[in-house]
Amino acid sequence: MFKLGIIGYPLGHSISAAIHNAAMKSTDVEGVYDVLETPPEDLISRIKFLKTQNYTGFNVTIPLKVPVSLFLDEIDDYANIAGCVNTVKINADKTLFGYNTDIYGFKMAIPLEYNLKNKNASILGTGGAARAAAVGLAELGVSEIDMYTRNIINASQTINYLRAQFPDVKFTAYQIQNIRDLSHTAIVVNSTPIGMRGYMMNESPLEESDIKKLNPETIVYDIVYNPTKTKLISMAQKHGLKTIGGLDMLIMQAQRAQIIWTGRTPDANVMKIAALEALSDV
């Protein structure tokens, strides 16, 4: 019996339970997945609860992806590079192993025929999701990553860290307010929450005039998954561009978490159907 769950705050929007319950059903795994709303001040007591109540593992979402690291005994390479954790396995001896499956999910959502080697990538935002995107893109062979941020000074630590991890990739920071012409880029990634249901849902981080200037071969990747078709994705499709929505990344990172916890690979299509059904109820 696998006892799993998600911690973070708030969690009213989360569809993780629907995704993971469908995943376990697809692999004939007996288990439960609990939604455990956890404000930052309750993190210590929540970790104790998860250990004493014999949980197998748990997901971590905002705002706990960084602070949870204080309680981990070991982390994988992705968590180390990204500087944050979204999946934790509780071992038999109650030690905690942290993983970052977001990078895996980000990469796996990009179709194999989209060749990004030696090309330029543009990332909107410089938070944890942007870091995961930057690591994924660097591993896929891009040669330059332009990161657009509201505050270049605050983003400098992230940029310098990424430069140290990937010395062969040229990282440059720009003010997001000063986006002019992205026609040189092979992929644009929105890692900001702009366009998300409940947060500027009817807005886009790019103006339509910016999208019109993109190369016809440019890929527009929005990590926002609710709604499944954001204003950014809708405008990009209107102008005939290739698009990737955030739901595929969400499903692939969840599939990876299930492999870590149960040792079995769930059906991604079954998980996606469950996610779409859950989103229709939100």
Side-chain angles (χ1 to χ4, degrees):
M1 174 73 172
F2 290 91
K3 287 183 71 174
L4 306 168
I6 181 170
I7 65 171
Y9 185 84
L11 291 178
H13 66 287
S14 178
I15 60 170
S16 291
I19 293 170
H20 285 283
N21 284 325
M24 288 186 283
K25 191 173 181 180
S26 79
T27 53
D28 294 322
V29 164
E30 186 181 348
V32 295
Y33 189 96
D34 299 321
V35 177
L36 303 166
E37 200 158 78
T38 308
E41 61 270 22
D42 294 341
L43 181 56
I44 294 174
S45 59
R46 179 64 77 199
I47 296 291
K48 289 179 181 176
F49 170 83
L50 291 162
K51 284 184 173 183
T52 58
Q53 298 303 308
N54 298 315
Y55 277 76
T56 309
F58 55 97
N59 285 130
V60 186
T61 189
I62 53 175
L64 305 177
K65 287 187 174 187
V66 174
V68 76
S69 302
L70 297 171
F71 304 92
L72 304 178
D73 300 282
E74 203 171 348
I75 59 173
D76 75 342
D77 289 342
Y78 275 168
N80 185 43
I81 293 171
C84 59
V85 165
N86 75 319
T87 300
V88 177
K89 183 175 183 181
I90 303 176
N91 298 313
D93 61 0
K94 303 303 178 185
T95 55
L96 303 181
F97 198 120
Y99 300 82
N100 185 302
T101 66
D102 283 335
I103 299 169
Y104 173 87
F106 177 87
K107 288 170 60 179
M108 290 298 291
I110 300 175
L112 291 173
E113 63 266 26
Y114 293 0
N115 181 13
L116 296 171
K117 282 189 179 298
N118 300 316
K119 294 181 179 178
N120 173 280
S122 297
I123 299 175
L124 312 179
T126 50
R131 218 185 242 212
V135 173
L137 290 167
E139 290 194 342
L140 289 171
V142 301
S143 57
E144 298 180 357
I145 298 179
D146 297 332
M147 303 189 78
Y148 291 84
T149 177
R150 287 180 298 177
N151 191 317
I152 287 182
I153 294 173
N154 288 351
S156 60
Q157 185 177 358
T158 294
I159 298 284
N160 290 334
Y161 181 80
L162 289 166
R163 283 174 179 153
Q165 295 293 329
F166 300 100
D168 294 334
V169 179
K170 180 184 177 184
F171 289 91
T172 310
Y174 297 98
Q175 289 286 147
I176 199 165
Q177 299 90 334
N178 296 334
I179 291 176
R180 290 289 181 270
D181 186 352
L182 297 176
S183 60
H184 64 290
T185 199
I187 183 169
V188 179
V189 180
N190 174 37
S191 74
T192 77
I194 296 172
M196 185 170 69
R197 189 179 300 279
Y199 184 91
M200 305 171 75
M201 178 176 160
N202 296 316
E203 296 191 31
S204 165
L206 290 181
E207 299 292 335
E208 189 159 9
S209 57
D210 300 322
I211 293 172
K212 284 180 179 177
K213 295 175 186 174
L214 294 175
N215 185 294
E217 295 301 310
T218 298
I219 303 156
V220 176
Y221 190 154
D222 195 340
I223 69 162
V224 172
Y225 65 84
N226 186 11
T228 52
K229 186 181 282 191
T230 60
K231 185 174 181 181
L232 174 63
I233 292 292
S234 294
M235 288 195 298
Q237 290 178 349
K238 174 184 169 184
H239 292 283
L241 298 169
K242 302 170 189 170
T243 61
I244 302 170
L247 190 59
D248 288 333
M249 174 180 171
L250 181 72
I251 297 302
M252 298 314 296
Q253 67 81 22
Q255 184 189 57
R256 181 64 186 158
Q258 281 286 322
I259 294 169
I260 289 166
W261 293 326
T262 70
R264 299 187 190 183
T265 303
D267 188 323
N269 289 326
V270 169
M271 295 166 73
K272 189 169 185 177
I273 291 168
L276 289 168
E277 288 175 349
L279 285 170
S280 68
D281 294 333
V282 173

